[in-house]
Amino acid sequence: MAAKTVKLAQPADPTIDQVFEEFLAEQRERLKPRAVSRYEDVLDLLRHHLNGYAYESLSNVESALFDRHYNAKGDDHREFCQLFGPDKIVGSLGSFLGYFMIRKVMAGQDLKRAAGTVAKKLSKWLATKGYVSDEEAQAGADEGTEAARDLPKAERAAQVLFDAVEDLAVDPNVLADEDYLEFDHFTISKIEPGKLWLEIFESGERHLYGPVRVPNLATKLLRRGWDISCSLGRVRGKWRIVEVANVYAK
C-alpha cells in the first residue's frame, strides 16, 4: 500500500506585505503626500496587528506553516504578513479597529478616523483586484465606515469621562465595599441626558447599575452597547464613575 502523502501549506503568492505595497503604490498616484503618509501609518499598524494576533485564527495546517517559518532563524524567519495572503486581511479588521486601535495604540481622533477610512478603501480595493469576494469586501467596508464614525466619538467620550473623574476627585480606597465596584468592562445598557445604566455579567448573571451620573456631553457621544473600562463608586447615594481607562465602540 502506498504511503499517504500529506501536502504541506506553502507561503501565499502574493503575500499580505506585497498586497499592501501594491495598494499603496496606487494611492501614491492619486493622493497628496500627506494623505499617503496617513495610509502608510495605518497599514503599518494593521501589519503590526496581523503579525501579532492573526495567527490565533489559523487552521492546524496553516499553524504548522506559521510555526515553521516564524521560529526559523536568520533569513528563513518570516512574519505573518510575509507568509499569508490577502484573504486573511478583512476578517481581522474588526479586531484591528475595535481592539487594537483602542487598547494598543496611543492615537488621537484623527488617526482613528483615518484607520476606519483606510480599512474601508482597502476592503473595496481588495475586491476590485479579485483578492476577496464582494461580500467580504462589503463586510470590511462596513467595519471601516463604522470605525471612522465611532472611534473618534469614543476617544472624545473617554476624555470627557476622564476629566469628570478628575473633577470628582474620589479616592476609591475610602469607599465601603458595598459602595465600590472594581475596575471592569461595563456595557452601556441605557442612555439618558447625563445618565448611564451600565451592566456587567458576574457569575453568569446580569447586573445592572444606574443611573450613573456623567456629563451631558458624554451621553451625547456614547452609544448603547459600547463598553466602558472603569470602576464605579456610590458617592452620596449616587453611582459615579470613579476610575476610567477607555471607551470601546462596537
Side-chain angles (χ1 to χ4, degrees):
M1 181 181 294
K4 189 173 183 180
T5 301
V6 178
K7 186 176 181 180
L8 297 177
Q10 298 297 318
D13 183 19
T15 64
I16 293 171
D17 273 352
Q18 291 169 332
V19 168
F20 280 176
E21 286 307 312
E22 182 185 357
F23 174 67
L24 284 173
E26 292 192 13
Q27 308 317 306
R28 293 184 184 109
E29 293 179 358
R30 69 180 190 85
L31 297 175
K32 295 181 179 179
R34 184 176 179 182
V36 171
S37 179
R38 275 295 193 198
Y39 274 60
E40 291 171 341
D41 289 344
V42 171
L43 289 187
D44 281 344
L45 290 170
L46 178 54
R47 182 183 291 108
H48 187 63
H49 171 68
L50 291 167
N51 283 338
Y53 298 95
Y55 72 91
E56 296 173 351
S57 62
L58 294 175
S59 68
N60 290 338
V61 173
E62 291 170 333
S63 292
L65 170 70
F66 176 74
D67 291 342
R68 184 166 70 252
H69 288 274
Y70 183 80
N71 294 323
K73 304 298 182 181
D75 293 340
D76 292 328
H77 171 79
R78 296 288 186 275
E79 295 286 342
F80 185 94
C81 291
Q82 297 171 317
L83 286 171
F84 297 99
D87 59 301
K88 302 295 186 187
I89 297 173
V90 174
S92 293
L93 290 179
S95 58
F96 170 66
L97 296 168
Y99 170 80
F100 186 81
M101 286 299 299
I102 296 174
R103 297 197 65 176
K104 300 297 182 179
V105 180
M106 297 296 291
Q109 296 181 33
D110 289 344
L111 183 55
K112 289 182 177 179
R113 185 181 293 107
T117 300
V118 173
K120 179 180 178 180
K121 298 290 186 181
L122 176 62
S123 296
K124 292 184 176 180
W125 180 88
L126 289 169
T128 63
K129 294 294 181 177
Y131 290 135
V132 300
S133 68
D134 289 339
E135 291 77 14
E136 290 174 307
Q138 187 59 54
D142 290 344
E143 293 271 11
T145 298
E146 291 176 8
R149 180 189 66 230
D150 293 340
L151 290 183
K153 290 182 179 179
E155 174 80 10
R156 176 64 177 138
Q159 185 61 55
V160 171
L161 293 176
F162 179 82
D163 291 342
V165 167
E166 290 285 290
D167 291 341
L168 186 62
V170 170
D171 182 358
N173 294 313
V174 305
L175 296 173
D177 288 345
E178 63 269 21
D179 292 329
Y180 178 70
L181 297 174
E182 293 185 357
F183 225 99
D184 212 325
H185 287 273
F186 293 83
T187 300
I188 301 172
S189 178
K190 180 182 176 182
I191 302 176
E192 291 183 2
K195 300 176 184 178
L196 298 175
W197 281 258
L198 303 176
E199 67 178 18
I200 191 170
F201 282 85
E202 298 174 320
S203 302
E205 294 184 359
R206 173 179 176 268
H207 296 269
L208 185 66
Y209 298 94
V212 178
R213 302 287 180 138
V214 297
N216 284 340
L217 177 55
T219 52
K220 290 180 180 178
L221 295 166
L222 294 167
R223 296 291 181 269
R224 186 175 179 272
W226 289 10
D227 285 349
I228 304 176
S229 179
C230 65
S231 65
L232 301 181
R234 194 152 33 198
V235 181
R236 294 183 290 277
K238 304 291 185 182
W239 285 110
R240 304 291 296 269
I241 295 175
V242 295
E243 300 168 294
V244 64
N246 228 321
V247 174
Y248 302 94
K250 291 184 175 181

